């Protein structure tokens, strides 16, 4: 099918009527994605002296198209704000030089095409250099943040990488994998050649928080990465050469490297800011002109509270349709920041699929829930009961095709007069992301006062809809002791989980019960815990004399078994 990209860009830049339904070019892009991306590539290449090397459906040179193509300019590839050092910048020329030297060093240490290289960094100069160095060598990259004393090792154990790239002071995070650390010597001659990926060749194994379970590495192919970056850079975000793309607070594992790739492919600048820095002082947000900005509820609340200034120069802002839709707060924020004339869009990004998978076309107007499949995606709506068949009506689970090697879809879309709307998620999640209940429970196994723990969502109403409740059983302990120590123990649990997994995995509520949980064949019976909690049975049993007596007897039996085991071990070692 012929695609007139100039007309598509004009349509997006001018906005569209919300009741007009999906334009013809969008529907045709779903039917002919190959022709769509060929047309996009031609428009993206334009009359540039250095043409992209990647050809849709044939091969992809990511290093060339993301970095080398922009090498002869003084444009900035990355701006990252550090509260101690201020703004750190990395030009395309610097990125090319430093990544090429690093890839040469890594090649000497055995990094080859297809090698699994795990990058343990937060977003910043070192992470971007290492990411591009890995792509130059044809590696398959995984990203992990620098947090979680059990979060990182657990994923490394599953991934089994060939190499790890991290700053030396982060070694305690991956204890047991230290021998895999790639060393930097800073003296290598730059490498000039770059790897050309086949379309289905994996460039990444990403721990997407949208996958269930979230510790499952999801393959990202070269075609998905390049095509997603091209579509998002040109159409979703409308980026041009030198434009700034910022997304403070957007979830790292869900959005990277897709956002970075979209900016670099278009010769734009990715601008990184941490929410905690903006909470102290939002001024850095206004230092550089931002063309496109991703906004999460936390950033919105920071700016509402600070009343720090106008964002009228922002051309486009976007939010995730999976976040709680607080209509009033969003409208207040838009008015306060003087964004009533700016375009906005709903954008659901899954970096493990290459970029936006569901979203709305950018437009000026009120907040909305429009969410169509992204341009150029092959998809279907499947039965909401997960039978595998296509949805019989106008409501179904959005599923990317082919789906054989992908996690099951979780977004429920509704079709109304040819317009797709975001309806819900198939299962209970936090802003679309899976809550790692099993990891939370495992992280608490060493807490001395815990005889077992279970975590699950309960309906609460309001904007969030559900909250995650952590039940901690304290065994035969007296109820008075459990009640007295509850406040201190809640703080201990929060500190422990933040150290082991990260602050985002803290439960919304923590409850203590001086009881023993029911055990099943594979461990604690979570279904029983949930049922007993929701019906109030745990509360009643905690204060009933008969159940208190039974719990005491069980506690003495467990103590006796433990002593017998200790005596047996003493005899064997004596």
């Amino acid at each position: 099918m012929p695609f007139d990209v100039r007309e598509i860009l004009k349509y997006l830049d001018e906005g569209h009527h919300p009741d007009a339904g999906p334009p013809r070019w969008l529907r045709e892009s779903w039917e002919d994605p190959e022709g769509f991306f060929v047309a996009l590539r031609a428009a993206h290449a334009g009359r540039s002296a250095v043409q992209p090397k990647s050809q849709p459906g044939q091969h992809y040179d990511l290093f060339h198209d993301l970095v080398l193509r922009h090498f002869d300019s003084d444009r900035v590839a990355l701006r990252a704000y550090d509260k101690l050092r201020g703004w750190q910048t990395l030009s395309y020329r610097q990125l090319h030089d430093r990544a090429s030297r690093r890839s040469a060093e890594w090649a000497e240490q055995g990094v080859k095409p297809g090698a699994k290289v795990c990058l343990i960094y937060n977003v910043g100069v070192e992470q971007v250099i290492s990411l591009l160095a890995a792509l130059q060598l044809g590696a398959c990259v995984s990203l992990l943040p620098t947090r979680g004393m059990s979060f990182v090792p657990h994923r490394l154990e599953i991934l089994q990488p060939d190499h790890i790239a991290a700053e030396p002071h982060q070694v305690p995070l991956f204890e047991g994998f230290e021998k895999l650390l790639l060393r930097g010597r800073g003296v290598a001659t730059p490498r000039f050649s770059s790897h050309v990926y086949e379309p289905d060749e994996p460039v990444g194994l990403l721990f997407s928080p949208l996958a269930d379970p979230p510790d499952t590495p999801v393959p990202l192919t070269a075609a998905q990465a390049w095509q997603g970056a091209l579509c998002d850079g040109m159409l979703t975000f409308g980026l041009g050469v030198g434009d700034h793309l910022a997304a403070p607070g957007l979830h790292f594992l869900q959005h990277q490297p897709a956002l970075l790739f979209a900016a670099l492919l278009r010769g734009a600048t990715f601008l990184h800011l941490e929410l905690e820095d903006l909470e102290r002082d939002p001024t850095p947000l206004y230092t550089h002109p931002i063309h496109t900005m991703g906004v999460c509820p936390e950033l919105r609340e920071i700016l509402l509270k600070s009343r720090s200034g106008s964002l009228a120069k922002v051309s486009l802002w976007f939010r995730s349709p999976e976040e709680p839709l607080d209509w009033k707060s969003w409208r207040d924020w838009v008015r306060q920041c003087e964004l009533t004339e700016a375009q906005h869009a709903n954008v659901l990004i899954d970096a493990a699929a290459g970029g936006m998978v569901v979203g709305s076309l950018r437009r000026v107007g009120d907040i909305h829930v429009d969410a169509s499949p992204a341009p150029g995606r092959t998809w279907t709506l499947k039965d909401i009961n997960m039978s595998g068949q296509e949805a019989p009506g106008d409501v179904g689970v959005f599923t990317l095709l082919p789906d054989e090697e992908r996690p099951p879809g979780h977004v429920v879309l509704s079709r109304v007069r040819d317009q797709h709307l975001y309806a819900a998620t198939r299962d209970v999640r936090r802003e679309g992301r899976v809550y790692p209940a099993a990891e939370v429970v495992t992280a608490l196994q060493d807490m001395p006062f815990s005889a077992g723990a279970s975590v699950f969502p309960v309906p609460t109403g309001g904007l969030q809809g559900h909250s995650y409740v952590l039940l901690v059983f304290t065994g035969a302990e007296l109820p008075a002791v459990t009640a007295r120590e509850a406040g201190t123990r809640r703080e201990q649990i929060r500190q422990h989980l933040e150290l082991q997994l990260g602050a985002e995995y803290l439960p919304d509520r923590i409850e203590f019960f001086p009881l023993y949980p029911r055990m099943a064949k594979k461990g604690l019976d979570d279904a029983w815990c949930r049922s007993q909690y929701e019906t109030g049975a745990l509360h009643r049993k905690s204060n009933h004399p008969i159940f208190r007596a039974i719990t005491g007897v069980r506690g003495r039996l467990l103590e006796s078994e433990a002593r017998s085991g200790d005596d047996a071990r003493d005899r064997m070692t004596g």
Side-chain angles (χ1 to χ4, degrees), residues 212-522:
D212 189 6
D215 56 6
T216 304
V218 181
L220 169 68
T221 67
Q224 290 172 328
W226 190 89
Q227 292 174 1
L230 179 62
C231 186
D232 287 347
M234 287 188 71
L235 306 185
T236 307
F237 303 139
L239 296 173
V241 171
D243 287 338
H244 284 74
L245 168 64
L250 266 61
H251 195 280
F252 172 73
L253 291 175
Q254 180 180 342
H255 294 88
Q256 295 297 355
L259 291 178
L260 180 66
F261 285 177
L264 297 184
L265 192 68
R266 294 291 290 162
T269 301
F270 186 75
L271 189 147
H272 178 69
L273 293 154
E274 293 287 347
L275 279 184
E276 61 182 26
D277 294 332
L278 293 177
E279 193 166 14
R280 284 189 292 266
D281 177 17
T283 304
L285 188 65
Y286 305 91
T287 305
H288 300 282
I290 297 174
H291 180 277
T292 302
M293 185 168 72
V295 186
C296 60
E298 294 80 6
L299 176 62
R300 179 197 68 204
E301 293 306 307
I302 288 172
L303 298 181
L304 278 173
K305 183 179 179 180
S306 67
R307 298 184 175 274
S308 52
S310 168
L311 291 170
K313 293 184 179 180
V314 172
S315 298
L316 166 69
W317 67 273
F318 65 92
R319 58 173 291 274
S320 170
E322 299 206 281
E323 294 162 350
L325 185 52
D326 185 343
W327 296 87
K328 182 179 184 304
S329 293
W330 281 115
R331 287 166 175 163
D332 289 346
W333 177 79
V334 167
R335 285 193 296 269
Q336 177 182 302
C337 295
E338 301 179 5
L339 288 167
T340 53
E341 298 303 316
Q343 290 188 323
H344 75 277
N346 297 324
V347 177
L348 172 55
I349 289 176
D350 181 3
M356 184 176 84
V357 290
V358 166
S360 65
L361 302 179
R362 41 193 165 100
R363 70 177 191 228
V364 177
D366 199 5
I367 310 300
H368 56 87
V369 293
D370 293 359
S372 297
R377 296 285 183 177
T378 305
W379 60 278
T380 188
L381 290 184
K382 288 202 171 183
D383 176 27
I384 202 167
N385 295 314
M386 303 305 289
S387 65
Q389 70 179 14
E390 292 192 5
D394 290 330
V395 177
V397 178
F398 172 76
T399 305
L400 290 172
L401 299 176
D403 61 340
E404 288 79 9
E405 296 184 6
R406 290 199 57 80
H410 73 279
V411 173
V412 178
L413 295 183
S414 173
R415 190 163 41 212
V416 180
R417 295 191 298 275
D418 291 329
Q419 180 64 51
H420 291 90
L421 306 176
Y422 179 87
T425 56
R426 175 178 54 82
D427 48 4
V428 178
R429 294 168 176 241
R430 267 188 179 175
E431 299 179 1
R433 296 182 283 273
V434 176
Y435 186 79
E439 286 187 74
V440 170
V441 170
T442 300
L444 296 176
Q445 286 181 344
D446 295 332
M447 302 300 283
F449 51 79
S450 175
S454 178
V455 60
F456 49 81
V458 295
T460 59
L463 295 172
Q464 191 66 43
H466 288 80
S467 64
Y468 283 87
V469 177
L470 172 65
L471 305 184
V472 180
F473 296 88
T474 59
E477 184 177 80
L478 293 175
V481 174
T482 298
R484 185 180 67 243
E485 298 295 327
T488 301
R489 289 171 175 175
R490 285 191 180 95
E491 186 59 29
Q492 290 175 345
I493 287 174
R494 291 190 180 98
Q495 291 177 357
H496 185 71
L497 289 178
E498 186 168 354
L499 175 65
Q500 296 297 320
L501 300 175
E504 71 172 284
Y505 299 124
L506 296 180
D508 300 294
R509 187 180 180 88
I510 302 174
E511 298 280 4
F512 297 93
F513 295 96
L515 298 167
Y516 286 100
R518 175 185 288 180
M519 305 303 291
K521 290 183 179 180
K522 296 184 179 180

Side-chain angles (χ1 to χ4, degrees), residues 6 9 60 64 70 77 79 81-82 93 122 135 140 175 179 204 218 225 305 334 337 356 391 416 463 495 509 514:
R6 184 175 300 178
L9 292 173
Y60 300 90
H64 177 277
H70 314 294
R79 294 189 198 274
Y81 182 77
D82 183 276
R93 187 185 300 274
N122 291 325
L135 294 178
C140 180
E175 186 177 353
K179 293 182 179 180
V218 181
K305 183 179 179 180
V334 167
C337 295
M356 184 176 84
V416 180
L463 295 172
Q495 291 177 357
R509 187 180 180 88

Side-chain angles (χ1 to χ4, degrees), residues 1-3 8 22-37 39-40 227 231 235 361 372-379:
M1 297 177 183
F3 292 93
I8 293 174
R24 179 179 176 180
W25 65 264
L26 178 58
R27 296 193 300 270
E28 290 179 346
S29 78
W30 300 332
E31 299 169 6
D32 181 19
E34 184 175 344
F36 176 69
F37 284 110
L40 277 190
Q227 292 174 1
C231 186
L235 306 185
L361 302 179
S372 297
R377 296 285 183 177
T378 305
W379 60 278

